[in-house]
Amino acid sequence: MVSLPELRDAHIDPLDAAATAYDTLANNFKKHADDLNTQVLKHLFDGKWVGNAAGAANSAMEQTSTRLDAAHTELSCVSGLLREASESFRLAQSKLQEALADAKTDGFTVADDGTVTWPPPSAAERHDPAYDTPQRAKAVADRIAHAVSEAGDADQKISKALDALTQRAKTGAGLSLDNAAADQKSVTQLGTDLLNAGFPPKDAGATEVNSWWKGLTPDEQQRLIQAHPDLLGNRDGIPAVARNQANLLNLDRLTKEYENKPNPSDADKQKLEGFRAIRTKLDQAKTKEPPPVFLLAVSDEGQGRGCLSWGNPDTAKNVSAYVPGLGTKLSDVGGKDADRARNVWQAAHNADPTAETASMVWLGYDPPPGPLDGDPRTAEVMLPDRAQKGGENYDKFMGGLRATHEGAPAHLVALGHSYGSTTVGMAAQQSTGTGADDIILVGSPGTGVDRASQLHIDPKHVWVGDAQNDPVSHLPAKERVGADGTGAAIGGYIAGPLGAWTGGKVANELYDDFGDTNDLWFGKDPAAKDFGANRFAVADGAPLSFDSHSNYMEDPNMDTSKDPAKREELESINNIGQIVAGKYDNVTKQEGR
């Protein structure tokens, strides 16, 4: 067992030195094996020597080569175990040091057995209902006990594994390739188990994760970022600066991994395109004016995940998180949707240049494929499943933004476009809602509810932008979309190759299932008066053109002197900027349908 004083006073650096020494030894063995293969076996097998003696020599040399390879693996296992021991003890020691520091700040005394005591309460404290010293002392004592127990568990498991490797070395059993491979697998699994024990559980909330992170020393935080970026970069509750550091490493790793895939699938190629697009966008941002860009998420989960933020959401006063919709690919996180998020930042900055702003694009789910992808799954836009799963992820992400924010709470805005607005709506229906102060829905086919009041937020803070000629936000309201070719056109947009069938279905049959003209695919039309939200003014857009569905977040600083139509399109992004900046009186509104 490990005691509190042993963990507190332990010098862990020698473990790293020992691991490095074993790495050197393992590498030397590898060189021996390589030399044997290139300088001895090659000449032996290529030579003219034949007969029984030659056969025996060949067999002996092959066995020696095999034993050297196994020895290299066994020595690598030892170095790996020592590094896992170092990492595990550092994590536990860091938690202990933080708990002891908090105890000292609170005036507690910690005994070597972990007992926490405190001065007797004063007369005023005894009569103070808010007196909570015993509870705070117990919380500190629990943290101390957990850190010591964590170190003791790691010590026992690593000692047992090292004893097993030592015994194999003594008996020679470790010089079998099969045994060495089994040892390597066991060591890898043990390292994973120990690391998971040192991290918050996978189902831990963002607040718990953030508390754990802040309990580590800065050196330990940096060590974990460098050693395990894959476990930190996409974890809600880890601060933006740390996530960015980890995800830049993750991005490099994923790019190399997918570049070196021997037979990449179309999905693999699409992810690689996405990783490269994100890298290009990050590189471009370095050469431009502020704000700085943070990579808050990147992974190859599903169709690919990514989140870019213009500005630091942990320090910004105004923070928005934009969810794109139908047809969004990972490459769009480094492309058009990145530009839209940047435009939101610019519009909010224009609205209030004195306030720090952060604006991000969040692709933490798999939107249905777009109509031009030729993918039959495009029809899934007609189902809420992907939005529901995405909404659960978005809810957790927004909770992470709240948990990591520094100082006064940020003005947090949830922004969804197209199917992404449905995803935001699904998130808002979670028990905690999105945690946002304002919700903005643009080009929405519905949110899954009939009233803004069902989104766990004051309806006065639900905002809807809906171009009069946006076909997506009209589907399938019977009185606004005639039962003619328009229905088929919209069906073609939504269902791609299934468009003709879907369009006819929309035009001739599905309308019978919607008695109210404000019924959309996913609940009531958010732009309708009865929904109860604020409808802000946007340009009508070109009739029967899907450009009307895509012009909500144009560059607010674009030169419109030669194109009055573009000037009208900017009303949408300028209103979004005012909302993100909290300048509600400056928002231009229009009547709901």
Side-chain angles (χ1 to χ4, degrees):
M1 292 294 294
V2 175
S3 68
L4 187 157
E6 286 173 334
L7 180 58
R8 180 192 62 208
D9 302 331
H11 297 287
I12 300 173
D13 289 345
L15 282 174
D16 295 319
T20 300
Y22 268 95
D23 279 338
T24 301
L25 189 57
N27 290 335
N28 287 336
F29 262 87
K30 184 68 169 62
K31 291 178 182 178
H32 289 322
D34 291 342
D35 288 345
L36 183 69
N37 289 328
T38 58
Q39 298 180 25
V40 179
L41 293 182
K42 181 178 183 300
H43 297 295
L44 188 64
F45 295 151
D46 290 346
K48 304 297 184 179
W49 187 21
V50 296
N52 292 335
N58 287 345
S59 177
M61 295 304 293
E62 286 180 343
Q63 185 178 24
T64 298
S65 176
T66 296
R67 289 163 67 87
L68 285 173
D69 286 337
H72 167 254
T73 300
E74 290 286 287
L75 291 169
S76 296
C77 286
V78 175
S79 66
L81 275 175
L82 292 173
R83 293 193 191 285
E84 293 299 342
S86 172
E87 197 65 67
S88 298
F89 294 149
R90 287 185 191 280
L91 272 172
Q93 188 181 63
S94 182
K95 294 176 185 177
L96 175 62
Q97 291 171 342
E98 189 70 19
L100 292 175
D102 288 346
K104 183 177 180 179
T105 299
D106 286 339
F108 301 152
T109 299
V110 180
D112 284 350
D113 65 356
T115 302
V116 178
T117 57
W118 58 94
S122 65
E125 288 174 330
R126 283 197 301 270
H127 296 90
D128 184 357
Y131 179 69
D132 64 348
T133 296
Q135 292 83 1
R136 288 188 290 114
K138 183 182 183 304
V140 169
D142 288 344
R143 289 166 58 194
I144 290 171
H146 180 77
V148 173
S149 174
E150 186 179 304
D153 182 61
D155 181 57
Q156 286 186 337
K157 291 179 177 178
I158 291 170
S159 295
K160 183 178 179 180
L162 286 171
D163 287 343
L165 290 175
T166 301
Q167 187 61 26
R168 285 196 186 279
K170 289 179 178 179
T171 63
L175 298 180
S176 158
L177 285 179
D178 288 341
N179 288 343
D183 285 341
Q184 188 173 49
K185 183 177 180 180
S186 296
V187 168
T188 300
Q189 184 59 52
L190 175 59
T192 300
D193 293 343
L194 290 174
L195 192 62
N196 287 338
F199 275 60
K202 291 184 178 180
D203 60 351
T207 301
E208 181 181 346
V209 172
N210 186 249
S211 178
W212 165 80
W213 180 257
K214 290 193 292 189
L216 303 175
T217 64
D219 285 346
E220 184 58 27
Q221 290 173 352
Q222 286 302 310
R223 210 173 349 258
L224 286 178
I225 289 172
Q226 296 301 317
H228 305 287
D230 55 313
L231 300 179
L232 298 173
N234 302 301
R235 195 77 190 262
D236 297 323
I238 301 296
V241 171
R243 287 183 75 157
N244 181 64
Q245 287 182 268
N247 281 323
L248 291 176
L249 296 173
N250 290 333
L251 180 61
D252 288 342
R253 175 183 57 81
L254 287 166
T255 302
K256 291 176 183 177
E257 177 184 336
Y258 276 77
E259 284 176 342
N260 294 323
K261 279 184 177 286
N263 296 297
S265 65
D266 289 343
D268 292 335
K269 294 175 183 177
Q270 192 173 103
K271 289 177 185 178
L272 177 57
E273 180 184 359
F275 299 141
R276 288 172 170 169
I278 290 172
R279 169 55 67 188
T280 297
K281 184 62 68 175
L282 288 168
D283 290 342
Q284 290 173 346
K286 293 177 183 177
T287 65
K288 295 182 178 180
E289 294 295 321
V293 181
F294 294 79
L295 182 58
L296 299 185
V298 65
S299 80
D300 59 354
E301 179 185 353
Q303 295 169 202
R305 302 283 186 264
C307 177
L308 282 175
S309 178
W310 271 258
N312 185 344
D314 292 344
T315 58
K317 176 182 178 182
N318 300 310
V319 178
S320 72
Y322 154 55
V323 184
L326 174 71
T328 304
K329 301 182 179 69
L330 184 60
S331 57
D332 295 323
V333 174
K336 63 181 178 64
D337 288 305
D339 294 337
R340 287 172 175 170
R342 177 62 171 78
N343 292 342
V344 170
W345 179 90
Q346 188 64 62
H349 179 71
N350 292 348
D352 186 357
T354 66
E356 184 180 353
T357 299
S359 172
M360 64 201 76
V361 53
W362 177 87
L363 185 64
Y365 78 120
D366 292 330
L372 300 180
D373 297 330
D375 190 328
R377 292 175 301 167
T378 299
E380 292 184 29
V381 74
M382 304 167 76
L383 304 173
D385 301 34
R386 294 187 179 221
Q388 182 66 51
K389 293 178 182 177
E392 294 171 2
N393 294 340
Y394 187 67
D395 174 51
K396 295 175 183 176
F397 177 74
M398 296 290 274
L401 294 178
R402 284 294 190 201
T404 59
H405 195 269
E406 302 169 11
H411 172 231
L412 184 59
V413 178
L415 168 60
H417 172 240
S418 189
Y419 193 83
S421 71
T422 308
T423 302
V424 169
M426 296 294 183
Q429 294 174 61
Q430 302 290 314
S431 59
T432 56
T434 61
D437 298 296
D438 287 282
I439 292 176
I440 304 175
L441 312 168
V442 291
S444 179
T447 61
V449 298
D450 293 338
R451 297 287 183 273
S453 58
Q454 295 173 279
L455 298 177
H456 287 94
I457 192 173
D458 186 336
K460 292 188 296 185
H461 289 280
V462 179
W463 305 82
V464 179
D466 186 7
Q468 191 61 31
N469 292 316
D470 182 344
V472 172
S473 62
H474 287 266
L475 181 70
K478 186 174 182 180
E479 293 183 4
R480 296 198 302 271
V481 180
D484 54 19
T486 305
I490 296 173
Y493 171 75
I494 290 184
L498 304 179
W501 178 84
T502 307
K505 192 79 171 172
V506 168
N508 300 314
E509 298 177 29
L510 292 182
Y511 288 139
D512 295 335
D513 297 329
F514 294 85
D516 192 304
T517 59
N518 288 326
D519 282 328
L520 299 187
W521 278 112
F522 304 113
K524 296 290 183 181
D525 180 1
K529 291 181 181 178
D530 291 345
F531 189 77
N534 296 299
R535 186 182 182 191
F536 60 87
V538 304
D540 288 345
L544 295 179
S545 168
F546 289 106
D547 287 344
S548 303
H549 184 62
S550 304
N551 294 336
Y552 293 100
M553 288 174 274
E554 298 291 276
D555 180 1
N557 288 355
M558 74 165 64
D559 182 5
T560 61
S561 58
K562 298 180 181 179
D563 191 345
K566 282 292 184 182
R567 189 179 309 124
E568 293 178 6
E569 288 178 5
L570 296 186
E571 189 167 25
S572 173
I573 186 63
N574 287 330
N575 278 326
I576 290 173
Q578 297 291 347
I579 297 167
V580 172
K583 304 296 184 181
Y584 307 126
D585 292 342
N586 296 337
V587 178
T588 58
K589 298 181 181 180
Q590 66 183 112
E591 286 293 318
R593 293 195 182 101

